[in-house]
Amino acid sequence: MYHKLKLFIFINGVFMWFSNEFFTLLNNASKTQDDTDWLNQTLNSIKDKINSCENIQKLPEIRRKYVKRGSRRALGSWVFDGNSHYYIHTVGTRSELQPNIGVWADNRIRVGYGFELTKAYFGNPEKCHKFMESAVKVLSNRQANINSHWENCSNIYVESYSKEDNYSENHIESSSMIDFLTSFEKPEWLFFGHVINVNETESIPSILDETSSLKFIDTFFGETSDFYGAVCEIYKSTP
């Protein structure tokens, strides 16, 4: 099994993070212990590499400007949501604006920010709603650099879940971001960012290899770090 896996994820000595083989094994990971062990090792390796990125390391630094004794670690452990989907987010941000990365077994990866609005695992919906309000204020602000990334995007991926409306995902224009964040009465989960299908990588043709994947993820959080910091600062200063 492991010889085959090594052949699958290494091509000419390059680690193919998001190859079709990777996602096939991701989908089948629960079927054998070997696959499960391989997946855990691979995801942890990916996490360690992402955590070494310059802009990823800055996320907890930004957060610590308003949270005393906040974690110095960037990304924590991968979480499996029971639907062939694994995600990872910045340590300590469950009830905040949550820097978040996810992978699906249907050959997709996403990077962006999420809001977890339930009480599960000691969540704090009231605090998180305040973060959402802070994000809306930042998105409404035309100050240079604060929301320039979102304004320059013509195709933003969003997803949501609520018991009333179930799960949905769409692509929206940047001008619809505020409507997206304020149009839910009782959401349990909201996410906005970018999603890539590895079968449709013409726009980012080298996304499959480790170097390009790291660059894509790190660049995204670098370009949105002013947004993240501004949301945290508004939250801190709002009574």
Side-chain angles (χ1 to χ4, degrees):
M1 172 62 72
Y2 281 102
H3 292 299
K4 291 182 179 179
L5 294 174
K6 290 178 180 178
L7 179 62
F8 279 148
I9 62 176
F10 283 90
I11 298 179
N12 296 325
V14 177
F15 179 39
M16 305 297 283
W17 280 19
F18 302 120
S19 64
N20 288 328
E21 290 81 10
F22 170 87
F23 286 100
T24 297
L25 291 169
L26 184 68
N27 194 35
N28 295 332
S30 61
K31 294 183 178 180
T32 71
Q33 187 61 47
D34 281 348
D35 283 345
T36 300
D37 291 343
W38 169 84
L39 179 63
N40 290 334
Q41 293 172 15
T42 302
L43 289 176
N44 284 332
S45 176
I46 290 175
K47 177 194 70 175
D48 291 342
K49 290 292 182 68
I50 295 175
N51 270 333
S52 70
C53 291
E54 179 181 2
N55 290 313
I56 297 294
Q57 292 178 346
K58 290 179 180 179
L59 293 175
E61 294 178 13
I62 293 171
R63 182 173 178 267
R64 281 174 64 87
K65 291 180 180 179
Y66 77 96
V67 178
K68 293 181 179 180
R69 301 180 182 178
S71 175
R72 295 185 182 276
R73 289 191 298 135
L75 300 176
S77 300
W78 290 94
V79 178
F80 177 58
D81 71 357
N83 191 30
S84 297
H85 173 240
Y86 289 78
Y87 67 92
I88 191 169
H89 59 79
T90 303
V91 176
T93 63
R94 179 173 184 82
S95 299
E96 301 174 11
L97 176 65
Q98 183 186 109
N100 192 291
I101 301 169
V103 292
W104 286 281
D106 63 355
N107 294 37
R108 292 183 296 159
I109 63 173
R110 61 169 174 76
V111 295
Y113 294 92
F115 293 104
E116 168 63 56
L117 294 140
T118 72
K119 294 183 178 180
Y121 301 101
F122 306 101
N124 187 332
E126 182 178 353
K127 177 182 177 183
C128 199
H129 274 287
K130 185 178 174 181
F131 264 98
M132 286 179 60
E133 294 172 359
S134 300
V136 169
K137 291 179 181 179
V138 173
L139 290 170
S140 301
N141 186 349
R142 299 301 174 184
Q143 181 180 348
N145 298 327
I146 295 300
N147 63 346
S148 59
H149 176 86
W150 307 111
E151 288 184 338
N152 293 330
C153 290
S154 60
N155 191 355
I156 299 172
Y157 169 80
V158 298
E159 65 179 54
S160 63
Y161 176 79
S162 66
K163 291 182 179 179
E164 289 80 4
D165 300 326
N166 296 316
Y167 177 82
S168 68
E169 54 183 73
N170 296 283
H171 293 271
I172 63 173
E173 297 288 332
S174 59
S175 59
S176 301
M177 283 284 289
I178 292 177
D179 289 340
F180 170 75
L181 292 174
T182 57
S183 61
F184 299 90
E185 292 186 4
K186 295 181 179 180
E188 294 193 3
W189 167 251
L190 298 174
F191 174 89
F192 56 98
H194 301 294
V195 64
I196 295 175
N197 189 318
V198 299
N199 294 326
E200 302 171 356
T201 55
E202 291 82 358
S203 60
I204 310 177
S206 299
I207 194 66
L208 299 183
D209 68 85
E210 176 182 319
T211 300
S212 298
S213 299
L214 285 174
K215 182 178 180 180
F216 169 72
I217 294 170
D218 197 43
T219 298
F220 169 82
F221 286 110
E223 291 178 347
T224 60
S225 60
D226 286 339
F227 166 78
Y228 180 55
V231 173
C232 292
E233 185 59 34
I234 288 179
Y235 173 88
K236 178 181 178 181
S237 62
T238 303

CSV table of all heavy atoms in Angstrom, one decimal, residues 1-10 21-22 24-39 41-42:
chain,number,residue,atom,x,y,z
A,1,MET,N,0.8,-1.2,0.0
A,1,MET,CA,0.0,0.0,0.0
A,1,MET,C,0.9,1.3,0.0
A,1,MET,O,0.7,2.2,-0.8
A,1,MET,CB,-0.9,0.0,1.2
A,1,MET,CG,-1.7,1.3,1.4
A,1,MET,SD,-2.8,1.7,0.1
A,1,MET,CE,-4.1,0.4,0.3
A,2,TYR,N,1.9,1.3,0.9
A,2,TYR,CA,2.6,2.6,1.0
A,2,TYR,C,3.5,2.8,-0.2
A,2,TYR,O,3.8,3.9,-0.6
A,2,TYR,CB,3.5,2.5,2.3
A,2,TYR,CG,2.7,2.9,3.5
A,2,TYR,CD1,2.3,1.9,4.3
A,2,TYR,CD2,2.3,4.2,3.7
A,2,TYR,CE1,1.5,2.3,5.4
A,2,TYR,CE2,1.6,4.6,4.8
A,2,TYR,CZ,1.2,3.6,5.7
A,2,TYR,OH,0.4,3.9,6.8
A,3,HIS,N,4.0,1.7,-0.9
A,3,HIS,CA,4.7,1.9,-2.1
A,3,HIS,C,3.9,2.5,-3.2
A,3,HIS,O,4.3,3.4,-3.9
A,3,HIS,CB,5.3,0.6,-2.6
A,3,HIS,CG,6.3,0.0,-1.7
A,3,HIS,ND1,7.5,0.6,-1.5
A,3,HIS,CD2,6.4,-1.2,-1.0
A,3,HIS,CE1,8.3,-0.1,-0.6
A,3,HIS,NE2,7.6,-1.2,-0.3
A,4,LYS,N,2.6,2.1,-3.3
A,4,LYS,CA,1.7,2.7,-4.3
A,4,LYS,C,1.4,4.1,-3.9
A,4,LYS,O,1.3,5.0,-4.8
A,4,LYS,CB,0.4,1.9,-4.3
A,4,LYS,CG,0.6,0.5,-4.9
A,4,LYS,CD,-0.8,-0.2,-4.9
A,4,LYS,CE,-0.7,-1.6,-5.5
A,4,LYS,NZ,-1.9,-2.3,-5.5
A,5,LEU,N,1.2,4.4,-2.6
A,5,LEU,CA,1.0,5.8,-2.2
A,5,LEU,C,2.1,6.7,-2.6
A,5,LEU,O,1.9,7.8,-3.1
A,5,LEU,CB,0.7,5.9,-0.7
A,5,LEU,CG,-0.6,5.1,-0.3
A,5,LEU,CD1,-0.7,5.2,1.2
A,5,LEU,CD2,-1.8,5.8,-0.9
A,6,LYS,N,3.3,6.3,-2.4
A,6,LYS,CA,4.5,7.1,-2.7
A,6,LYS,C,4.5,7.4,-4.2
A,6,LYS,O,4.9,8.4,-4.6
A,6,LYS,CB,5.8,6.4,-2.2
A,6,LYS,CG,5.9,6.4,-0.7
A,6,LYS,CD,7.2,5.6,-0.3
A,6,LYS,CE,7.3,5.6,1.2
A,6,LYS,NZ,8.5,4.8,1.6
A,7,LEU,N,4.2,6.4,-5.0
A,7,LEU,CA,4.2,6.5,-6.4
A,7,LEU,C,3.1,7.5,-6.8
A,7,LEU,O,3.3,8.4,-7.7
A,7,LEU,CB,3.9,5.2,-7.1
A,7,LEU,CG,3.8,5.2,-8.6
A,7,LEU,CD1,5.2,5.7,-9.2
A,7,LEU,CD2,3.5,3.9,-9.2
A,8,PHE,N,1.9,7.5,-6.1
A,8,PHE,CA,0.8,8.4,-6.4
A,8,PHE,C,1.2,9.9,-6.2
A,8,PHE,O,0.9,10.7,-7.0
A,8,PHE,CB,-0.4,8.0,-5.6
A,8,PHE,CG,-1.2,6.9,-6.1
A,8,PHE,CD1,-1.9,6.0,-5.3
A,8,PHE,CD2,-1.3,6.7,-7.5
A,8,PHE,CE1,-2.6,5.0,-5.8
A,8,PHE,CE2,-2.0,5.6,-8.0
A,8,PHE,CZ,-2.7,4.8,-7.1
A,9,ILE,N,1.8,10.1,-5.0
A,9,ILE,CA,1.9,11.5,-4.6
A,9,ILE,C,3.3,12.1,-4.9
A,9,ILE,O,3.5,13.3,-4.6
A,9,ILE,CB,1.6,11.7,-3.1
A,9,ILE,CG1,2.6,10.9,-2.3
A,9,ILE,CG2,0.2,11.3,-2.8
A,9,ILE,CD1,2.4,11.1,-0.8
A,10,PHE,N,4.2,11.4,-5.5
A,10,PHE,CA,5.5,11.9,-5.9
A,10,PHE,C,5.6,11.7,-7.4
A,10,PHE,O,5.5,10.6,-8.0
A,10,PHE,CB,6.6,11.2,-5.2
A,10,PHE,CG,6.8,11.7,-3.8
A,10,PHE,CD1,6.2,11.0,-2.8
A,10,PHE,CD2,7.6,12.8,-3.5
A,10,PHE,CE1,6.3,11.4,-1.5
A,10,PHE,CE2,7.8,13.2,-2.2
A,10,PHE,CZ,7.2,12.5,-1.2
A,21,GLU,N,-4.8,11.8,-7.5
A,21,GLU,CA,-4.6,10.6,-6.6
A,21,GLU,C,-4.7,10.9,-5.1
A,21,GLU,O,-5.2,10.2,-4.3
A,21,GLU,CB,-3.2,10.1,-6.9
A,21,GLU,CG,-3.0,9.4,-8.2
A,21,GLU,CD,-2.8,10.4,-9.3
A,21,GLU,OE1,-2.6,11.6,-9.0
A,21,GLU,OE2,-2.8,10.0,-10.5
A,22,PHE,N,-4.3,12.2,-4.8
A,22,PHE,CA,-4.4,12.6,-3.4
A,22,PHE,C,-5.9,12.6,-3.0
A,22,PHE,O,-6.3,12.1,-1.9
A,22,PHE,CB,-3.8,14.0,-3.2
A,22,PHE,CG,-4.1,14.7,-1.9
A,22,PHE,CD1,-3.3,14.5,-0.8
A,22,PHE,CD2,-5.2,15.5,-1.8
A,22,PHE,CE1,-3.6,15.1,0.4
A,22,PHE,CE2,-5.5,16.1,-0.6
A,22,PHE,CZ,-4.7,15.9,0.5
A,24,THR,N,-8.4,11.0,-4.4
A,24,THR,CA,-9.0,9.7,-4.4
A,24,THR,C,-8.7,9.0,-3.1
A,24,THR,O,-9.6,8.4,-2.5
A,24,THR,CB,-8.4,8.9,-5.6
A,24,THR,OG1,-8.7,9.5,-6.8
A,24,THR,CG2,-8.9,7.4,-5.5
A,25,LEU,N,-7.5,9.1,-2.6
A,25,LEU,CA,-7.2,8.5,-1.3
A,25,LEU,C,-7.8,9.2,-0.2
A,25,LEU,O,-8.2,8.6,0.8
A,25,LEU,CB,-5.6,8.5,-1.2
A,25,LEU,CG,-4.9,7.5,-2.1
A,25,LEU,CD1,-3.4,7.7,-2.1
A,25,LEU,CD2,-5.3,6.1,-1.8
A,26,LEU,N,-8.0,10.5,-0.3
A,26,LEU,CA,-8.7,11.3,0.7
A,26,LEU,C,-10.2,10.7,0.8
A,26,LEU,O,-10.7,10.6,1.9
A,26,LEU,CB,-8.8,12.8,0.3
A,26,LEU,CG,-9.4,13.7,1.3
A,26,LEU,CD1,-8.6,13.9,2.5
A,26,LEU,CD2,-9.6,15.1,0.6
A,27,ASN,N,-10.8,10.4,-0.3
A,27,ASN,CA,-12.1,9.9,-0.3
A,27,ASN,C,-12.2,8.5,0.2
A,27,ASN,O,-13.2,8.1,0.8
A,27,ASN,CB,-12.7,9.9,-1.8
A,27,ASN,CG,-14.2,9.7,-1.8
A,27,ASN,OD1,-14.9,10.2,-1.0
A,27,ASN,ND2,-14.6,9.0,-2.8
A,28,ASN,N,-11.1,7.7,0.1
A,28,ASN,CA,-11.1,6.4,0.5
A,28,ASN,C,-10.4,6.2,1.9
A,28,ASN,O,-10.2,5.0,2.3
A,28,ASN,CB,-10.4,5.5,-0.5
A,28,ASN,CG,-11.2,5.4,-1.8
A,28,ASN,OD1,-12.4,5.6,-1.8
A,28,ASN,ND2,-10.5,5.2,-2.9
A,29,ALA,N,-10.1,7.2,2.5
A,29,ALA,CA,-9.2,7.1,3.7
A,29,ALA,C,-9.7,6.3,4.8
A,29,ALA,O,-9.0,5.7,5.6
A,29,ALA,CB,-8.8,8.5,4.2
A,30,SER,N,-11.1,6.3,5.0
A,30,SER,CA,-11.7,5.6,6.1
A,30,SER,C,-11.8,4.1,5.8
A,30,SER,O,-12.3,3.4,6.7
A,30,SER,CB,-13.0,6.2,6.4
A,30,SER,OG,-13.9,6.1,5.3
A,31,LYS,N,-11.5,3.7,4.6
A,31,LYS,CA,-11.7,2.3,4.3
A,31,LYS,C,-10.7,1.3,4.8
A,31,LYS,O,-11.0,0.2,5.1
A,31,LYS,CB,-11.8,2.1,2.8
A,31,LYS,CG,-13.0,2.9,2.2
A,31,LYS,CD,-13.2,2.7,0.7
A,31,LYS,CE,-14.4,3.4,0.2
A,31,LYS,NZ,-14.6,3.2,-1.3
A,32,THR,N,-9.5,1.7,5.0
A,32,THR,CA,-8.4,0.9,5.5
A,32,THR,C,-7.6,1.7,6.5
A,32,THR,O,-7.5,2.9,6.4
A,32,THR,CB,-7.5,0.3,4.5
A,32,THR,OG1,-6.7,1.4,3.9
A,32,THR,CG2,-8.3,-0.3,3.3
A,33,GLN,N,-7.0,1.0,7.5
A,33,GLN,CA,-6.1,1.7,8.5
A,33,GLN,C,-4.9,2.3,7.8
A,33,GLN,O,-4.4,3.3,8.2
A,33,GLN,CB,-5.7,0.7,9.6
A,33,GLN,CG,-5.0,1.4,10.7
A,33,GLN,CD,-5.8,2.4,11.4
A,33,GLN,OE1,-7.0,2.2,11.7
A,33,GLN,NE2,-5.3,3.6,11.6
A,34,ASP,N,-4.4,1.6,6.8
A,34,ASP,CA,-3.2,2.1,6.1
A,34,ASP,C,-3.5,3.5,5.4
A,34,ASP,O,-2.8,4.4,5.5
A,34,ASP,CB,-2.8,1.1,5.0
A,34,ASP,CG,-2.0,0.0,5.5
A,34,ASP,OD1,-1.6,0.1,6.7
A,34,ASP,OD2,-1.7,-1.0,4.8
A,35,ASP,N,-4.7,3.5,4.8
A,35,ASP,CA,-5.1,4.8,4.2
A,35,ASP,C,-5.3,5.9,5.2
A,35,ASP,O,-4.9,7.1,5.0
A,35,ASP,CB,-6.4,4.6,3.4
A,35,ASP,CG,-6.2,3.9,2.0
A,35,ASP,OD1,-5.0,3.8,1.6
A,35,ASP,OD2,-7.1,3.5,1.4
A,36,THR,N,-5.9,5.5,6.3
A,36,THR,CA,-6.1,6.5,7.4
A,36,THR,C,-4.8,7.0,7.9
A,36,THR,O,-4.6,8.2,8.2
A,36,THR,CB,-7.0,5.9,8.5
A,36,THR,OG1,-8.2,5.5,8.0
A,36,THR,CG2,-7.2,6.9,9.6
A,37,ASP,N,-3.9,6.1,8.2
A,37,ASP,CA,-2.6,6.5,8.7
A,37,ASP,C,-1.8,7.4,7.7
A,37,ASP,O,-1.2,8.4,8.1
A,37,ASP,CB,-1.7,5.3,9.0
A,37,ASP,CG,-2.2,4.5,10.2
A,37,ASP,OD1,-3.0,5.0,11.0
A,37,ASP,OD2,-1.8,3.3,10.3
A,38,TRP,N,-1.9,7.0,6.4
A,38,TRP,CA,-1.3,7.8,5.4
A,38,TRP,C,-1.9,9.2,5.3
A,38,TRP,O,-1.2,10.2,5.2
A,38,TRP,CB,-1.4,7.2,4.0
A,38,TRP,CG,-1.0,8.1,2.9
A,38,TRP,CD1,0.3,8.3,2.4
A,38,TRP,CD2,-1.9,9.0,2.2
A,38,TRP,NE1,0.2,9.3,1.4
A,38,TRP,CE2,-1.0,9.7,1.3
A,38,TRP,CE3,-3.2,9.2,2.2
A,38,TRP,CZ2,-1.5,10.6,0.4
A,38,TRP,CZ3,-3.7,10.2,1.3
A,38,TRP,CH2,-2.9,10.8,0.4
A,39,LEU,N,-3.2,9.3,5.4
A,39,LEU,CA,-3.9,10.6,5.3
A,39,LEU,C,-3.5,11.5,6.5
A,39,LEU,O,-3.1,12.7,6.3
A,39,LEU,CB,-5.4,10.4,5.3
A,39,LEU,CG,-6.2,11.7,5.2
A,39,LEU,CD1,-5.9,12.5,3.9
A,39,LEU,CD2,-7.7,11.4,5.4
A,41,GLN,N,-0.7,11.4,8.3
A,41,GLN,CA,0.6,11.8,8.1
A,41,GLN,C,0.8,12.9,7.0
A,41,GLN,O,1.5,13.9,7.2
A,41,GLN,CB,1.5,10.6,7.7
A,41,GLN,CG,1.6,9.6,8.9
A,41,GLN,CD,2.3,8.3,8.4
A,41,GLN,OE1,3.0,8.3,7.4
A,41,GLN,NE2,2.2,7.3,9.2
A,42,THR,N,0.1,12.7,5.9
A,42,THR,CA,0.1,13.7,4.8
A,42,THR,C,-0.5,15.0,5.2
A,42,THR,O,0.1,16.1,4.9
A,42,THR,CB,-0.6,13.1,3.6
A,42,THR,OG1,0.0,11.8,3.2
A,42,THR,CG2,-0.5,14.1,2.4
